[in-house]
Each structure stands twice: as structure tokens, then as C-alpha cells.
Amino acid sequence: MKRVQIKDLKLNQVNRLAGFVENLRNKKTMCFIVLRDVSGVIQVTIEKEKHPEFNELLDKLTIDSVIEVEGMVLESEYVKLNHMEMYPDKLKVESIALPSPIVAPKGEETNIDLRLDYRWIDLRTKKNTLMFKVQSHFINSCRAFLNERDFIEIHTPKLIGAESESGAGVFKVDYFDRNAYLAQSPQFYKQMAMAAGFERIYESGPVFRAEKFASRKHATEFTGFDLEFSYIDSYEDVMKLEEEMLTYALAKTKEKYGEEIKEVYGIDIVVPTLPFPRIDLHDLYQKLEEKYGYKVSEDEKGDLTTEGERLCKEFSLEEYGHEFLFVTGYSKENRAFYHMRDEKGVPCGYDLIWKGCEITTGAQREHRYEILKAQAEEKGLDEDVKFYLDFFKYGCPPHGGFGIGVDRITMLIFNEGIKESMFIFRGPDRLNP
């Protein structure tokens, strides 16, 4: 008989199930096991007199042991857990678990670093399983949105021969007889796809940042979801696509998991209205000063400070009744050289802030070779990015795009820290497991 997941079992029939022992009450005449797989839980009830051959196995069982059972599943008004139980005729013990090293005293929470040391055990909870189901569904919804619009999924190299973008914050690795670097983003290759005439592309993959930090939202390796598309009129086209994609993905997430997220985390998924509010950085600082007395020095006004970013949560809700906020009008000193600039020299780009946290930098890119080369020279990067500049010598359409941090999206959906929101966290002091 083929094994089925608990969510797919059939009442009043014999089923074969397998999973972890979540709870165990081994009495003199009866044994009650709560069996858990990725889809749910069920009570397994064993009458010892009927199955004395099970006794030796049951005496060895521990919490988190892995077992396989086969038997009739019946409804029961006496069983609180889904009002059903299995009466197995077959029992197989696949693996006996040692006592968990991350169980905290009752009422206390285990230290996050200890939990990360044993991340595979920490992930076994209902909360964590739900988190990664939601993450998967959210990204698949983004994919579906883009696939419907004829985007092509590509996979760009993560080993590169030159220090990308700014030359700072990259990991250097030995590559045979020379140095190579881990890519900070797929940016250059996304734009190469535009020069290749692909027109619409996206990618989900690892991103590496060799930066030390002390923040709930940073990691040295994370998953990015990036896209780029051609023949845009302005960066407004980029913002419009992003707001539509995020609204679509959040609606799909709420539709499938909204009730479960509410039950397990006590959080309501808010599907945003369109369009998202937009504000110029200069006007934002003026508003933050008027509303909250927050002032920044003149030399800080070209970029959004960490505190300014945090205040955007309260400001956006009060001013617009919206969790999302597009911020535009950053200074050229604080934007990448490849951002197109308007007639006043202001970069044609934006940051998207959600719940007081930046989740996206997006822009229209500079596609004209001579201007792009001059902007690279201005930042002293022309030699470092020579291979990238070559992409624009032979014709390239106007284009733009953005990148989203998948782990930050997860973090903000569930109001958790970045360490809890990544399958396995990587930071300056963590390379294991």
C-alpha cells in the first residue's frame, strides 16, 4: 500500500501513514501517539492486548522518533484532534530520536543561536512549517504573475570575474589560478538579457553580501527575486508592475493560507489597494519633521536613514492608510551608477518600504553606452565594470527592473526577525549548519 499524507487520508478505510511522533502516552493497556507529517497531525490509538507484538517497539519510542503505521482510520467524537483516529495493524519504527537539545523549560523560549545550531529540529514546529509553505506559495505566485506576462526565467552565474557594482562588500574566492567573486546581485546579467533581446526576464537565486552588520534584517547570503523588462517609458512602469505583482501574490497567499496564518500566528494578511502611495524623499523628510519632529542633517537628505525608514510604517498608515510606500528622489551619490538620471540629474528610481522596512530598490536603467560609461567613470568604476559596459555597445532597448529579498518578505509577513525567516541563516559569525 502506498503511503499518503495525513491531509489526504480516507475515513473508514485502511491508510498507510508515516511521520514524526509529536506526542506519546504509553499506558499499561493503551498507547496514544500523535503522529505528524508536513500536512497535519492525527491520533494513533493502539490497544496493546490486540497487538502484543507492538509492545517492545512502543517501549523504545521517544518524542520525534519516526514511525510508519497502517490501519483503519475512523471518526471519533471522543478525540479532540480532528475527531478521528487510526487503529494500526502494522507498526514500523524507522528511527529512534534522542532527547531534543533545544527544549526549553516550560514557559521559556530557547535562545535563537542554540536553535540555529540545531536548525533541522527547530524547523519541525507547525509555525516554521507554515512559514516556508507560505514563502514557497508567495514566490510561486510571483512566478505565475510574470509567466502570464511572457517573462522568461533565467539563471545567472554567481561566480564572477570582477567585483560587481561598487567593488565593496564582495566575497573573494580562489578560482584555479586567479580570483573570483560571489555575485552581490544578478543585476549586470539581467541587463545583459535586455541587450540580448529577451525583453522580459526574472530570476530567483542566492545573493552574497560581505558586510558585517547588527540588524534584524541583514544576512550575508539571502535569496533574491529579481526581474528586468524592456521598452519602458519611465520608472513608473517599473513601480506599476511591482505593485501589481505584490498585490497579486499577497491576495493568493491570503486566499490559501490566510486563515491558518491567523490561527497559528495571530496575523491578518492585508492585501494592499492599488496604486501604492508615492512620495519624493525631500517631501518625506519634511512630513516626518512635521509629524514626528524627526530631523536629518543636510548631508543625510540624499538617502533614507534607518530611522526615517522605520517611521515610514507609521507615516504611510496615517497619511495613506497603506502598508506600502514608494520613495523616490534619491541623490545620485546614493544610487548606483547604472540608474538613469533625469534632466536635473536625479536618479530615475525608487525604494519600496513595507511595514517600515525597505524591500526593493528599483529603477529605470541607463541603456545609452556613452552616458553609462560617463556615470561609471564619475564613480571611479569604469575599469571594474568594463565587461558590463560592453553589453551596451551594440544596441540595447530602454529597460528597468527591481529586486526583492525573499527572506525579508517572509520576515515582514510573519513579523519575525531575519534569522527565524530564513531556512538556514548566514551571518558574519555563522557558517553552520
Side-chain angles (χ1 to χ4, degrees), residues 158-160 162-164 167-174 179-184 207-213 219-222 426-428 431:
K158 305 309 167 197
L159 280 170
I160 58 177
E163 299 182 18
S164 59
V170 293
F171 288 108
K172 184 188 295 185
V173 297
D174 292 331
N179 291 328
Y181 305 89
L182 296 180
Q184 289 178 307
V207 177
F208 302 91
R209 301 285 167 89
E211 298 167 353
K212 292 197 171 182
F213 51 81
T220 52
E221 179 185 354
F222 58 92
R426 285 289 177 261
L431 268 176

Side-chain angles (χ1 to χ4, degrees), residues 22-40:
E22 184 170 281
N23 204 352
L24 174 68
R25 288 185 296 146
N26 192 9
K27 306 291 187 179
K28 186 175 181 180
T29 61
M30 302 284 289
C31 183
F32 302 96
I33 298 168
V34 176
L35 183 69
R36 180 190 77 249
D37 68 16
V38 73
S39 71

Side-chain angles (χ1 to χ4, degrees), residues 27 81 85 98 121 152-153 199 214 266 303 371 381 383 395:
K27 306 291 187 179
L81 191 64
E85 58 187 331
L98 294 174
I121 302 174
I152 301 168
E153 183 170 8
E199 295 196 12
D303 200 5
I371 297 174
L381 295 171
E383 287 302 315

Side-chain angles (χ1 to χ4, degrees), residues 78 124 174 234 347 400:
Y78 303 107
R124 291 175 183 173
D174 292 331
S234 78

Side-chain angles (χ1 to χ4, degrees), residues 14-255:
V14 173
N15 292 261
R16 180 182 165 202
L17 305 174
F20 289 90
V21 174
E22 184 170 281
N23 204 352
L24 174 68
R25 288 185 296 146
N26 192 9
K27 306 291 187 179
K28 186 175 181 180
T29 61
M30 302 284 289
C31 183
F32 302 96
I33 298 168
V34 176
L35 183 69
R36 180 190 77 249
D37 68 16
V38 73
S39 71
V41 292
I42 188 173
Q43 177 171 301
V44 176
T45 302
I46 299 171
E47 298 172 286
K48 291 187 172 182
E49 279 189 7
K50 290 185 178 179
H51 295 287
E53 72 276 15
F54 292 171
N55 289 345
E56 186 177 347
L57 294 175
L58 294 175
D59 289 340
K60 293 178 181 178
L61 273 190
T62 58
I63 299 298
D64 277 348
S65 293
V66 178
I67 64 171
E68 183 181 291
V69 287
E70 188 176 310
M72 184 71 72
V73 177
L74 301 172
E75 283 187 283
S76 173
E77 60 181 298
Y78 303 107
V79 177
K80 291 182 180 179
L81 191 64
N82 301 321
H83 300 292
M84 65 176 72
E85 58 187 331
M86 170 185 267
Y87 292 90
D89 295 313
K90 295 180 181 179
L91 168 67
K92 181 181 180 183
V93 177
E94 299 284 8
S95 173
I96 296 292
L98 294 174
S100 172
I102 61 172
V103 173
K106 195 168 184 180
E108 295 182 23
E109 187 170 320
T110 308
N111 176 277
I112 179 61
D113 289 315
L114 178 61
R115 284 190 283 126
L116 290 180
D117 287 341
Y118 295 91
R119 183 58 166 161
W120 64 97
I121 302 174
D122 184 46
L123 287 169
R124 291 175 183 173
T125 66
K126 185 176 183 179
K127 290 181 73 172
N128 280 329
T129 301
L130 175 60
M131 178 182 288
F132 290 97
K133 285 181 179 180
V134 169
Q135 183 186 90
S136 176
H137 186 68
F138 182 91
I139 293 304
N140 282 335
S141 298
C142 291
R143 280 194 170 98
F145 177 89
L146 297 174
N147 289 341
E148 287 173 9
R149 288 154 181 80
D150 296 324
F151 276 71
I152 301 168
E153 183 170 8
I154 64 171
H155 304 282
T156 62
K158 305 309 167 197
L159 280 170
I160 58 177
E163 299 182 18
S164 59
E165 299 194 26
S166 66
V170 293
F171 288 108
K172 184 188 295 185
V173 297
D174 292 331
Y175 192 75
F176 302 105
D177 60 345
R178 58 194 183 279
N179 291 328
Y181 305 89
L182 296 180
Q184 289 178 307
S185 84
Q187 184 60 47
F188 291 169
Y189 296 106
K190 287 194 303 175
Q191 291 186 257
M192 189 189 83
M194 299 301 96
F198 281 21
E199 295 196 12
R200 299 178 174 210
I201 63 93
Y202 69 91
E203 173 179 19
S204 183
V207 177
F208 302 91
R209 301 285 167 89
E211 298 167 353
K212 292 197 171 182
F213 51 81
S215 163
R216 70 181 286 268
K217 65 180 184 179
H218 287 97
T220 52
E221 179 185 354
F222 58 92
T223 301
F225 189 90
D226 286 78
L227 65 84
E228 205 80 13
F229 61 114
S230 291
Y231 301 107
I232 65 173
D233 293 320
S234 78
Y235 67 97
E236 274 287 345
D237 296 335
V238 182
M239 289 194 287
K240 185 173 186 295
L241 182 77
E242 179 167 17
E243 65 190 4
E244 289 176 353
M245 184 186 79
L246 291 175
T247 299
Y248 176 90
L250 284 169
K252 290 294 184 183
T253 299
K254 185 180 182 73
E255 179 184 320

